[in-house]
Amino acid sequence: MDIDNRILQLEKRRAFSPYMKKKTSVRDSLILFLDSLPRKPGLSECCPNDVCRFLVWKDKAGKNKVHGVQCKFLGTKGKPSCNCPVRLASGSVSVMVQHLVDIFCDIGAGRVWDVSTLSGNPAASPMVRDYLKMVQEEQARAHVMPKQAAPIFLSKVRAISMYIERELARRDLSLRERFVFLRDQAWFKLQFFGGDRAGDLAGLVAQDIRSLNDGTGLVLNHTYGKTLRGAKGKANMFVIKKCEESLLCPVKGLRDYVEGVGKLGVALSPGFLFRVVTDGGRVLDQAVSYSVIYERLRTYLTTLGIYHGETPHSFRSGCAVTMALSGAVNNMGQMMRHIGWFGEDSAQYYSRLPVLRESEYVASKLAKCTSQSEDIEDNFRKSADFESLEKAF
């Protein structure tokens, strides 16, 4: 029946979503761990202590060095040669706990743990919450900070664009190589000036792009993405404008891509804008993946000798910092609307805007106050010494 086929279609699509893939991976790991225990409990027999032990067991996949206060590497990044343990980041543990809550809920355990009857959802128990809190405190004391993508600024976008232009001038390029170079240059410019997530940009379809009436730029619209997912009233619409420097211009880069691949016999509309190309040179109507773009970016930066661990997320960070320091935005709201953030925490985290502004204004003013120190103290004693005022009454 058409109704059954429709339901199966939606369930299949959900099963292959990034969230479901992660949850399935956690579920498989949990089952493997439980099977290794002497009593071999099933999911329905799992207790809070089993969940905490599973989270400790998962630390073997951790990448964060948790240094002791006596370790000389305390506060440093990377994995220096010391005997301090490597753990999962507290943020990863928190996400995993949420996955576990959903996993137990799926088998009918609900979303709460009843301490009096020792039943319900073990991942939602006070014991697991306390474990997560202790991990967070331990890593805070060890100065383990959330990893932040190294920003990619326009200097590296320019270097990559110059390299690609030189390559596109070659006459011995295969059709596949030409398609990839045209795609990549458009992607990198668009992601920088749009501040888009790589995953959201990968899902962009040609029908989501419109030209401004005056021809000075393009309007892009996302209705689905990591934080969108069809939620009511949520969409990410932003504008990119032509740049004076044509080498960096995202509008020109995108048009060069569409026109260039058109000459190769590839029509990008309708369908995904950034597509997969096979080794044989066949362009598929499938969205290019994050891993492909990551590998391409790393290849360019490594070839140019300027790779410092950047990922596609680095364009998002670079865009935010550039907006903050260039005066392109007057407030946090403007940045959030352009990049598509729905909470100030993300905007502040990526742009460093509060820190940068305070460094420029508050810290600078405070540093100059040394010459006024006596006047400040006198003014305080005259106007704001509350202890003296209380004695007066």
Side-chain angles (χ1 to χ4, degrees):
M1 293 177 62
D2 291 340
I3 295 175
D4 293 333
N5 289 335
R6 172 62 174 157
I7 292 174
L8 287 172
Q9 181 186 42
L10 291 174
E11 288 179 347
K12 183 177 180 181
R13 183 173 295 171
R14 182 172 181 269
F16 285 96
S17 68
Y19 169 77
M20 288 301 295
K21 288 180 179 178
K22 291 178 182 177
K23 191 172 82 168
T24 300
S25 176
V26 173
R27 185 178 185 275
D28 291 344
S29 294
L30 177 60
I31 292 173
L32 180 65
F33 170 75
L34 295 176
D35 192 54
S36 69
L37 298 179
R39 74 179 201 279
K40 299 186 183 300
L43 287 179
S44 61
E45 304 166 313
C46 197
C47 66
N49 187 53
D50 293 329
V51 175
C52 291
R53 289 170 64 83
F54 169 71
L55 294 172
V56 174
W57 180 72
K58 288 295 289 183
D59 267 335
K60 66 180 186 297
K63 297 180 180 179
N64 286 271
K65 276 273 191 176
V66 180
H67 302 287
V69 294
Q70 302 298 325
C71 181
K72 65 179 181 180
F73 296 110
L74 181 70
T76 61
K77 296 181 179 180
K79 294 182 181 179
S81 55
C82 63
N83 294 323
C84 296
V86 178
R87 310 287 193 204
L88 280 174
S90 60
S92 298
V93 178
S94 178
V95 171
M96 194 173 298
V97 169
Q98 290 303 312
H99 285 315
L100 290 168
V101 171
D102 291 342
I103 288 167
F104 287 110
C105 185
D106 289 344
I107 64 171
R111 305 195 72 85
V112 296
W113 175 258
D114 190 330
V115 179
S116 61
T117 62
L118 299 179
S119 63
N121 193 317
S125 67
M127 179 183 289
V128 175
R129 289 199 301 270
D130 288 345
Y131 173 84
L132 175 58
K133 185 176 181 180
M134 287 186 290
V135 168
Q136 292 169 335
E137 291 179 353
E138 178 187 55
Q139 295 191 12
R141 291 177 183 276
H143 298 188
V144 177
M145 299 298 293
K147 289 185 178 179
Q148 202 165 1
I152 286 182
F153 295 107
L154 283 173
S155 59
K156 290 194 176 181
V157 180
R158 184 181 290 108
I160 293 173
S161 299
M162 290 176 64
Y163 174 81
I164 291 178
E165 287 232 334
R166 289 196 300 269
E167 292 299 302
L168 284 171
R170 289 170 44 195
R171 295 187 177 183
D172 61 338
L173 285 180
S174 66
L175 295 180
R176 181 185 184 280
E177 289 173 325
R178 188 167 296 277
F179 176 87
V180 170
F181 282 131
L182 287 166
R183 180 196 67 194
D184 291 352
Q185 61 84 28
W187 175 290
F188 296 145
K189 296 169 190 175
L190 184 58
Q191 193 182 7
F192 179 86
F193 284 97
D196 225 352
R197 282 190 180 89
D200 293 358
L201 192 57
L204 185 68
V205 295
Q207 300 94 302
D208 285 336
I209 304 175
R210 298 285 187 274
S211 294
L212 293 174
N213 291 333
D214 59 5
T216 61
L218 300 171
V219 181
L220 292 86
N221 185 38
H222 288 310
T223 57
Y224 179 83
K226 183 178 180 181
T227 56
L228 298 174
R229 302 196 180 283
K232 183 179 178 181
K234 279 192 175 184
N236 178 24
M237 181 179 291
F238 60 94
V239 175
I240 55 169
K241 287 268 195 172
K242 292 180 178 178
C243 298
E244 293 181 358
E245 187 175 347
S246 61
L247 181 67
L248 295 173
C249 181
V251 178
K252 182 178 183 300
L254 197 54
R255 287 175 174 161
D256 286 348
Y257 169 49
V258 174
E259 293 173 6
V261 300
K263 294 177 181 177
L264 301 178
V266 179
L268 297 175
S269 182
F272 291 111
L273 185 64
F274 296 105
R275 301 186 183 181
V276 173
V277 58
T278 66
D279 292 338
R282 184 185 172 203
V283 179
L284 308 177
D285 188 13
Q286 296 177 9
V288 68
S289 67
Y290 176 93
S291 59
V292 168
I293 293 298
Y294 177 34
E295 187 57 38
R296 293 299 302 168
L297 174 64
R298 186 167 58 179
T299 297
Y300 289 123
L301 295 176
T302 301
T303 301
L304 294 167
I306 53 175
Y307 178 62
H308 297 102
E310 294 90 347
T311 71
H313 221 60
S314 297
F315 289 103
R316 191 170 174 84
S317 180
C319 175
V321 175
T322 299
M323 279 195 287
L325 293 181
S326 66
V329 292
N330 296 320
N331 54 62
M332 196 69 72
Q334 291 178 328
M335 180 183 295
M336 290 167 62
R337 286 188 291 275
H338 180 81
I339 292 184
W341 283 314
F342 296 100
E344 285 197 11
D345 289 346
S346 294
Q348 293 178 3
Y349 177 72
Y350 283 102
S351 69
R352 291 81 155 174
L353 185 58
V355 174
L356 293 171
R357 281 184 173 173
E358 289 168 9
S359 174
E360 180 65 25
Y361 182 78
V362 178
S364 297
K365 293 290 185 182
L366 189 60
K368 294 178 181 179
C369 75
T370 52
S371 60
Q372 307 169 335
S373 59
E374 293 183 2
D375 293 337
I376 292 171
E377 187 173 351
D378 288 341
N379 285 335
F380 172 79
R381 295 188 181 283
K382 292 176 182 177
S383 306
D385 192 337
F386 298 108
E387 184 178 353
S388 298
L389 288 174
E390 289 174 357
K391 290 179 180 179
F393 292 96

